Amino acid sequence: MFHCIFTLLLSFRFLNSLGSVFGFISKDAVNKIQILVNYLNGENGSQYVTVQSMVKYELENELVDITKRGSHPESGCRTLLRLHRALRWLELFLERLRTSTEDSKTSVMCAEAYNEALAQHHPWMIRKAANMAFYMLPGRPAFFEVMNVGPPEQVVAMLGEALPLISEVYQITETLYAQHNLLDLP
């Protein structure tokens, strides 16, 4: 669980450094990470050491509302699922950013990643607000500058190293949630 939380935290701290367009995403993610940290530090913390143990514990103790939002709206499983979806969006966006050309529009890349990973989980109003916010994104060179890694080729190389790790964390959770039919929690 720590590895997963650490990857999520680093990913969303990066987003926070990109300014106010991503600030709302980052703040929400940090709040969700804090919920998971609270479970990890709580009286049943030993059940939250790994994602696998959390899923097992919450399912066995009926702490996950499978069919409707009910008495466990902030279960660890539901909270991690929200972060898991956001991590997929970030992975898709960063991959597009990595493989794009200098004149590629970050707003288009971000919107495509959002539509692929998150839009279907959000109400119409959130989708419209997100897509409007994407239009305010700076160009690719500004993103690369904020990353403070060096010239564009170094940023591309760094993303090439980081993306497989993000993908691995995503895939482990995706597989586990699919095995337990948790990918569509309300």
Side-chain angles (χ1 to χ4, degrees):
M1 176 74 101
F2 178 75
H3 182 66
C4 184
I5 291 173
F6 183 71
T7 300
L8 289 165
L9 194 54
L10 286 178
S11 298
F12 294 109
R13 280 198 177 152
F14 161 72
L15 281 180
N16 202 40
S17 73
L18 297 176
S20 62
V21 172
F22 287 108
F24 70 95
I25 297 169
S26 179
K27 184 178 178 185
D28 185 53
V30 168
N31 289 339
K32 285 177 174 43
I33 290 168
Q34 188 58 55
I35 291 168
L36 295 174
V37 168
N38 290 344
Y39 279 124
L40 188 59
N41 293 330
E43 69 180 72
N44 295 310
S46 63
Q47 304 299 323
Y48 291 85
V49 173
T50 67
V51 175
Q52 293 83 351
S53 64
M54 175 190 72
V55 168
K56 182 178 188 283
Y57 172 73
E58 287 196 350
L59 288 174
E60 286 177 354
N61 290 281
E62 299 180 1
L63 298 173
V64 181
D65 299 317
I66 303 288
T67 58
K68 62 177 175 51
R69 278 188 183 242
S71 55
H72 306 291
E74 290 187 346
S75 69
C77 288
R78 177 171 283 107
T79 301
L80 183 61
L81 178 61
R82 286 1 183 219
L83 289 167
H84 173 70
R85 291 171 179 164
L87 186 64
R88 178 67 175 155
W89 163 74
L90 181 62
E91 175 190 6
L92 293 170
F93 174 59
L94 292 177
E95 179 59 26
R96 283 173 168 86
L97 194 61
R98 184 184 75 80
T99 59
S100 64
T101 61
E102 187 174 331
D103 61 341
S104 296
K105 294 192 176 291
T106 56
S107 59
V108 171
M109 291 183 274
C110 196
E112 288 173 352
Y114 174 80
N115 289 331
E116 187 175 331
L118 286 173
Q120 66 270 24
H121 304 293
H122 290 158
W124 179 86
M125 185 68 88
I126 300 284
R127 290 192 310 263
K128 292 301 175 193
N131 280 299
M132 286 178 54
F134 298 150
Y135 282 108
M136 294 187 292
L137 292 176
R140 183 179 186 254
F143 267 94
F144 282 12
E145 189 175 315
V146 167
M147 289 181 188
N148 200 24
V149 173
E153 54 276 357
Q154 282 183 292
V155 175
V156 168
M158 183 270 309
L159 287 172
E161 293 172 14
L163 282 163
L165 300 174
I166 292 171
S167 180
E168 180 181 3
V169 168
Y170 176 84
Q171 203 52 55
I172 289 168
T173 306
E174 181 78 4
T175 301
L176 179 66
Y177 272 50
Q179 290 170 347
H180 294 282
N181 298 314
L182 295 175
L183 288 172
D184 293 316
L185 289 177

